[in-house]
């Protein structure tokens, strides 16, 4: 895995404090570490033989809610911008996801290891299917709602999925190609009814809320993402229960610096790996609240109004979004609860960072990773933001800059990013499978 880029080095700011430096500059001290050296020194993940994110992480946060050791912050806070909202605690998330797990196992007749394609926008059901598939030992394959019938067919045939779950709007496209996917046995729509399709709403009304989580090995497959296909047909990348369920600890604890009292909003589309990074695993590993806005299309004014009116403390958006936000008149907005801003997906323009900071007082901390990985490089709290730099290596990997012959390069020379995978391959999934 390599990518050509300029090699820069970010420097640690030795002065870590939490106060207002000026009217337009804020700095909030890290909550989970002291500086980058502390991150490198203390990062360590043990690989258990068995691990399941639902039972070993989410259900433990439910227990913490019940014994009062976790603050009464929602696990999921969803709004649609039209006065509808859903607030679920970890206990309620568990209740609903157990019902959905039973639907998948019983009505859909799916067995552990079966693959399920879920193509949904940012609706609460998307999160339920994420957790329910983990509980039932199924392999979730998310897809963006922008997929065409041809895209869906490629995914169905390549993955050999036995079930597809989507909306009424996309169901006709699935019907148009489903006969060409002979292993597809079950189709389910999350709203309304349709001939030849199971109705999620009807099944959910009568589903049993008692479910025993499947005992999964850490290395069992948990999810498959299709790459964007920039150099050919989209390829499958498989992640195990541990590679995201444990591996994204580095994102949640260090790059995002989340705690159970935080409310975290990630604007990623549900079809890409960034949604798993920042809308499921990283925040819930830390017991944080996942905030979500339905927002069918990006609207800078809606983003800004939401940050103004809701207590979002950590915000993540791609550079393109920040570029559109700084074109707005930010003078009329005050984000009183916002403390940390991050970005990933493409390089961010230094001018955008400067404009955002001038208006909000907050830096934008860049991160870099790929569908096959967790965070590879990132700017962490306490670092001086250096234009053109995406920070330092994630402690999850041994990352080096190399030349065409694989030799390490010194600072200041251009080369390729390389992750060491031998003699010991990182247990965090790197190019697990390709279809």
């Amino acid at each position: 895995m390599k990518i050509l880029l300029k090699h820069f080095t970010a420097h640690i700011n030795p002065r870590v404090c939490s106060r207002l430096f000026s009217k337009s500059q804020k700095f909030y001290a890290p909550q989970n570490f002291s500086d980058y050296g502390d991150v490198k020194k203390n990062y360590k993940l043990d690989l258990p033989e068995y691990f399941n994110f639902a039972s070993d992480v989410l259900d433990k946060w439910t227990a913490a809610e019940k014994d009062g050791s976790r603050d009464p912050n929602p696990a999921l806070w969803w709004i649609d911008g039209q006065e509808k909202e859903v607030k679920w605690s970890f206990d309620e998330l568990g209740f609903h996801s157990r019902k959905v797990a039973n639907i998948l196992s019983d009505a859909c007749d799916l067995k552990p290891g079966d693959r399920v394609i879920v193509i949904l926008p940012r609706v609460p059901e998307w999160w339920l299917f994420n957790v329910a598939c983990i509980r039932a030992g199924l392999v979730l394959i998310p897809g963006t709602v922008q997929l065409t019938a041809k895209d869906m067919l490629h995914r169905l045939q390549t993955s050999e999925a036995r079930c597809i779950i989507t909306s009424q709007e996309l169901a006709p496209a699935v019907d148009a190609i489903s006969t060409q996917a002979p292993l597809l046995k079950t189709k389910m729509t999350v709203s309304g009814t349709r001939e030849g399709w199971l109705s999620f709403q009807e099944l959910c009304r009568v589903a049993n809320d008692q479910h025993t989580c499947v005992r999964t090995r850490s290395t069992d497959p948990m999810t498959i993402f299709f790459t964007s296909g920039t150099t050919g047909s989209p390829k499958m990348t498989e992640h195990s229960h541990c590679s995201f369920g444990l591996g994204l600890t580095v994102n949640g604890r260090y790059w995002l610096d989340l705690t159970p009292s935080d409310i975290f909003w990630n604007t990623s589309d549900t079809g890409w790996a960034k949604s798993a990074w920042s809308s499921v695993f990283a925040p819930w590993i830390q017991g944080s609240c996942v905030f979500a806005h339905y927002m069918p299309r990006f609207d800078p004014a809606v983003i800004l109004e939401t940050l103004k009116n809701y207590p979002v403390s950590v915000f993540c958006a791609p550079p393109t979004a920040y570029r559109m936000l700084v074109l707005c008149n930010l003078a009329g907005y005050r984000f009183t609860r916002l403390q940390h801003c991050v970005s990933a997906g493409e390089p961010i323009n230094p001018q955008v960072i400067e404009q955002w900071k001038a208006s909000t007082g907050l830096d934008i901390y860049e991160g870099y990773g790929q569908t096959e990985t967790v965070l590879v490089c990132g700017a962490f709290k306490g670092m001086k933001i250096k234009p053109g730099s995406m920070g330092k290596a994630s402690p999850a990997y041994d990352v080096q800059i190399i030349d065409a012959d694989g030799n390490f390069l010194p600072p200041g020379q251009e080369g390729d990013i390389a992750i060491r995978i031998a003699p010991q391959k990182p247990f965090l999934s790197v190019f697990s499978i390709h279809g």
Side-chain angles (χ1 to χ4, degrees), residues 295 298-307 309 324-325 328 333:
M295 201 169 52
F298 184 83
D299 186 331
V302 171
I303 296 279
L304 295 173
E305 284 295 325
T306 304
L307 288 172
N309 296 325
M324 295 175 70
L325 292 174
C328 300
Y333 296 94

Side-chain angles (χ1 to χ4, degrees), residues 185-197:
K185 302 300 180 185
T186 305
K187 298 177 291 186
M188 181 159 59
T189 177
V190 296
S191 58
T193 59
R194 182 178 178 85
E195 185 178 355
W197 290 65

